[in-house]
Amino acid sequence: MGNFQATNDFNEVTYGRRSVKAYDPEVKISREELTEMLEEAMRAPSSVNMQPWRFLVIDSPEGKEKMLPLASFNQTQVETSAAVVAVFVDMNNVEYLENIYAEAVKRGYMPAEVMDTLVPRVKGYYENQSPADLRDVNLIDAGLVSMQFMLVARAHGYDTNPIGGYDKARIAETFGMDKDRYQPVMLITVGKAAKEGYPSYRLPVETVTTWA
């Protein structure tokens, strides 16, 4: 586990989270546990439940060798972390629409008549969206799942850091993905901190909030 034990203490998860730049390279996370963490992160909401997020989990020496040239300012994080989770959005995620809604009906989460009404409506919405507008929607959803993954990782006893500084133009193709369909959002390194992350100042609520 990380530099603290797994916890369900919400205050510990939120107020104790730090952005960690260097990890203990001896600490590994099993693919079974990473899968569990991703499942928990995917409880995050998304627009019309389309779940446009896609994950590339880089946890092998070979994967990290491919990743290092793309993360020139964050090589220590990549090298020492247990895994790097690259978050993408699937710009063709409408392909999963009928499967998602049909499974909801099968499990008793949604009446069939609601699915029959919603599917053509959602399809029409996607067909009428410009690529830029659709990307905006998908990026919001990807941000939600990314934050949830970082909180889930802390609850499991690990540390994380989101990274925006990497070669977004090359990452998909480097790992054999269609770069037009799968567009990068961020990297999240995960592992056990080699040293505590620094606390950081937050503006007062009064500065950033307007009441109406």
Side-chain angles (χ1 to χ4, degrees):
M1 283 305 199
N3 57 345
F4 59 98
Q5 294 302 307
T7 179
N8 286 319
D9 183 332
F10 186 73
N11 280 345
E12 176 65 27
V13 168
T14 53
Y15 286 95
R17 185 198 61 78
R18 299 282 186 270
S19 290
V20 166
K21 312 295 186 186
Y23 300 88
D24 179 347
E26 299 303 312
V27 172
K28 308 300 180 190
I29 306 175
S30 71
R31 290 192 170 183
E32 290 75 17
E33 187 172 13
L34 283 166
T35 298
E36 183 182 333
M37 290 159 64
L38 290 169
E39 285 175 345
E40 292 167 9
M42 287 167 57
R43 300 308 302 169
S46 61
S47 178
V48 292
N49 196 29
M50 285 303 296
Q51 307 164 55
W53 45 69
R54 302 292 180 262
F55 307 108
L56 167 66
V57 182
I58 303 159
D59 66 344
S60 69
E62 298 77 17
K64 287 191 173 187
E65 280 297 313
K66 284 186 182 181
M67 187 67 231
L68 281 172
L70 307 179
S72 52
F73 300 111
N74 295 286
Q75 296 213 336
T76 300
Q77 288 197 59
V78 171
E79 285 181 315
T80 61
S81 63
V84 180
V85 179
V87 182
F88 294 80
V89 291
D90 180 356
M91 294 300 290
N92 292 355
N93 67 313
V94 72
E95 284 186 8
Y96 291 87
L97 170 64
E98 293 188 42
N99 174 260
I100 289 168
Y101 281 66
E103 193 64 34
V105 170
K106 179 180 172 183
R107 295 176 183 226
Y109 302 159
M110 176 188 292
E113 55 269 24
V114 172
M115 180 187 79
D116 292 342
T117 301
L118 282 178
V119 165
R121 198 177 288 175
V122 173
K123 269 188 180 174
Y125 168 81
Y126 272 81
E127 286 166 3
N128 290 314
Q129 289 288 305
S130 70
D133 288 344
L134 180 58
R135 179 172 164 78
D136 284 348
V137 171
N138 286 345
L139 285 175
I140 290 169
D141 293 344
L144 290 168
V145 81
S146 296
M147 186 70 249
Q148 186 136 319
F149 178 80
M150 287 185 275
L151 295 177
V152 163
R154 179 147 184 88
H156 275 249
Y158 301 111
D159 301 289
T160 57
N161 188 47
I163 297 173
Y166 61 100
D167 192 339
K168 296 182 177 72
R170 291 172 53 215
I171 186 168
E173 286 187 318
T174 296
F175 288 92
M177 300 167 68
D178 179 342
K179 70 175 182 178
D180 294 319
R181 176 167 184 166
Y182 301 106
Q183 298 185 6
V185 179
M186 71 177 78
L187 308 177
I188 304 171
T189 51
V190 57
K192 175 185 175 181
K195 60 180 180 179
E196 288 288 340
Y198 297 108
S200 54
Y201 168 73
R202 295 295 186 270
L203 291 166
V205 172
E206 293 77 11
T207 304
V208 300
T209 305
T210 300
W211 302 88

